[in-house]
Each structure stands twice: as C-alpha cells, then as structure tokens.
Amino acid sequence: MDRILIGNMISLLASVFLILSCWVNTKKSAYLFQILEALTLCVSAVFFQAWTQLSTLTLSVLRNYLVMIERYDRRMMWLFSGLVVVFGLAVNNLGVMGLLPIAATVILAMCNYYLQDMMAIKWSFLFNCVLWGIFGFAIRDYVSGITQAVTCGIGLVSIVRLYQMRKKDKEGIALEKQYGS
C-alpha cells in the first residue's frame, strides 16, 4: 500500500504541470509543461508498476521536446507512434486498461504533427486527459484520475477563453474594416 501512496504523492506534482499545460496560451509553454508532467509521471509509474505508462511517457518526453523545438516532422510522428505501440505492447501488464496509454500517446503524437492551431491543440489535450483519467483510476492513481477530471474542466474553461478572445479579435477586425482605422 505504501507504493500506491507514494505514487499518488508524486502524481500530485505531475498534476500541477498538467493543469498549467492546459492553461497557458503558447505552444512552447504548453509543451514544456507537458514534458514536466510526463517526466514526473514516469517516476510515479514505477510505484504503480504501470510499465506501459512508463514506456509511453518516456517516449512522450522526447516527442514533446521535438515538438517544442519545432523538429517534429512526419517521419518522427510515425517513428514515435511505432515505438509507442511496440514498447507499450511488449511491457503491458494491465490487459485492456494497459492499451489506454498506448492509444492516448499515439493519438497525441499524430495531433502534435497535424495540429498547428492552439484551439485544436487544446482540444487534443482535453481528449488525452479523458483517456489518461480513466487509466489513472484503473491503476489506483487516484490523484491523476481526479486531476485529469479537474483538468478537463479547466481545459474547457481555457478553450472558452481562447474562443472568446478570438471572437473579440474578429469583431475588432470587422469593425476596423467597416469603419476604417
């Protein structure tokens, strides 16, 4: 039982990084916080003996770094997706639940490549939170499960804020066109 408690305490720190990644409005900042979250969850994965999580998150750290420095290309997307599937399946000790980190990571790997718009990136983070939240509860990482649920709410608020900001910017541009500067 001690390992579950320690894993949950470590996950609490990761949760802070996750929330911050959903709250910021720049791509670089979002991915930096995603890297910090994944590194912290790698440590907690050892305590939960969730080897699929450890393998997928280790690869996610590298992938997110490449995205952050704008070196993530189509070839890297396929390489990381393939490695996640191979290593994730090789170490999966959780049956069907162990497939959730693999699916979440591959989906996010593809979103990292194809999505450039901050709104779309925020939606992909939100979907990722749902999958990881389910996984968190499955491995008794209650802090991560609860935090993922809260983060979904915060992510939705952030999406609404960004939508409102964009709407306001569009209205300002439309008024400028109509009435001149």
Side-chain angles (χ1 to χ4, degrees), residues 103-123:
T105 304
V106 169
I107 291 167
L108 192 59
M110 293 190 176
C111 289
N112 286 334
Y113 177 73
Y114 288 110
L115 302 179
Q116 298 301 315
D117 176 67
M118 193 62 206
M119 182 69 78
I121 291 168
K122 285 179 180 273
W123 278 108

Side-chain angles (χ1 to χ4, degrees), residues 1-2 8 27 32 36 44 53 61 64 73 80 84 90 102-103 106 126-127 129 147 150 168 170 174:
M1 191 60 147
D2 289 334
N8 274 280
K27 186 176 175 179
L32 175 62
L36 294 172
S44 73
Q53 179 183 19
V61 168
N64 286 345
D73 59 17
F80 277 97
V84 163
I102 297 169
V106 169
L126 183 68
F127 180 67
C129 283
T147 302
V150 170
K168 186 177 179 182
K170 283 182 183 178

Side-chain angles (χ1 to χ4, degrees), residues 3-4 8 48-50 52-53 92-101 129-146 148:
R3 67 179 177 78
I4 300 295
N8 274 280
F48 291 114
Q49 298 176 348
T52 307
Q53 179 183 19
N92 182 11
N93 61 335
L94 300 171
V96 173
M97 280 298 146
L99 299 177
L100 286 176
C129 283
V130 170
L131 294 179
W132 280 105
I134 294 167
F135 180 75
F137 285 115
I139 64 167
R140 299 187 326 186
D141 183 356
Y142 304 116
V143 169
S144 286
I146 291 167
Q148 295 286 1

Side-chain angles (χ1 to χ4, degrees), residues 51-65:
W51 310 124
T52 307
Q53 179 183 19
L54 179 61
S55 69
T56 59
L57 288 175
T58 301
L59 291 165
S60 293
V61 168
L62 298 171
R63 180 205 60 223
N64 286 345
Y65 177 72

